[in-house]
Amino acid sequence: MSVTSRYREAWEGFWREAPDEPGAVFWDAEPALTAGLHLALFEPHMTAGLPVVDIGCGNGTQTRFLADRFPRVLGIDLSAAALTHARRADAAGQVDFRQLDAGEKSETEQLHAEVGDVNVYMRGVLHQCEAAGRQPLLDGIATLLGERGRAFVVELSEAARPVLTGLMRGPAGPPPKLAPVFAHGIAPAEVVDAAVDAYVASAGLATVAAGELPLVTTEFSADGTRVELPSRWLVLAAS
C-alpha cells in the first residue's frame, strides 16, 4: 500500500520550505550525536559486504556519514524536495539518492531485485507515518533485508509524546524548529511501543537486539539544554 497523496504532499511542503543550513531542521542533528551512536550499536550485527539503505533519508546528513564508512550507500525518501536538498549537499556524489516509497510493495521488490539483500538504517520514520502505512513500511523493510540483511530501526517511544506536547504548549509557543513539523500536518510520536513490536512480528522479522537511547534534536530549551526525546532502537532480521 502506497502512502496517501495528503501525506506525500505534507512532506513535499515541509522540505520545500526547509532551509539548507545544517541543523535547521528539528531532527537534523550532527551524525556524531545520531548515526554515529547508532552505528556503534548496529555494526556488530550488520551483514558484512551488503549495501546500506537509509530509509527516510531526508536531506541526507546521516546518509553521507554512512557513505564515509561503507562502499555502497543508498538514500531513499518519499519526498522529491528532500532529495533536492540531499543531492545539493552531497558535493562528492558519494550517495545514490532515489525517490522511493518504502511502503509500496512493488517499489521495494524492484529495488531488492536490483541490489539484492541490504542492511537498512531507519531513524524516526515509523512514528510519524499514517496508521495505514505503518505495517507496509515494516513489510518493505523485510523485503529489502531478504535472508541476510539486518535493519537498525530507531523510533520515538510513547514516552516522547508528552515531551512534544509540553514543547508545543510552552509559554513562548512551539520551538521554531518544531513548529513547521506540525504546521505541515506531520504528527510525530503517534505509535505506542507495543504496536511497533506487533508490526515487526507481522512483517516476519525478529528482534536481534534492542535498547533505549534518546533521540537528539537540534532544538534547545529555554535554559539552553538540548532537547532529547525518549526513543527505542531495534536490530531486526528475517525470522
Side-chain angles (χ1 to χ4, degrees), residues 218-235:
T218 62
E219 192 60 89
F220 292 83
S221 61
D223 64 4
T225 58
R226 188 187 289 266
V227 174
E228 298 183 352
L229 302 174
S231 72
R232 299 172 67 218
W233 59 269
L234 307 171
V235 177

Side-chain angles (χ1 to χ4, degrees), residues 21-39 54 59-66 68-69 121 123 154 177 213-220 224-228:
E21 292 77 16
V25 171
F26 183 66
W27 53 80
D28 192 31
E30 53 268 38
L33 301 176
T34 48
L37 299 179
H38 299 153
L39 190 57
D54 181 7
N59 63 1
T61 298
Q62 313 307 320
T63 329
R64 294 191 301 277
F65 171 86
L66 295 172
D68 285 335
R69 287 151 181 81
Y121 176 72
R123 179 178 69 110
V154 57
K177 294 179 185 177
L213 186 71
L215 193 147
V216 177
T217 78
T218 62
E219 192 60 89
F220 292 83
T225 58
R226 188 187 289 266
V227 174
E228 298 183 352

Side-chain angles (χ1 to χ4, degrees), residues 10 14 17-19 24 26-27 168 174-186:
F14 175 86
E17 296 179 10
F26 183 66
W27 53 80
M168 290 298 293
K177 294 179 185 177
L178 182 58
V181 178
F182 286 90
H184 284 281
I186 300 163

Side-chain angles (χ1 to χ4, degrees), residues 150-176:
R150 300 289 184 269
F152 186 87
V153 174
V154 57
E155 295 291 337
L156 297 185
S157 69
E158 57 192 71
R161 188 181 180 98
V163 178
L164 285 166
T165 300
L167 290 171
M168 290 298 293
R169 295 177 179 174

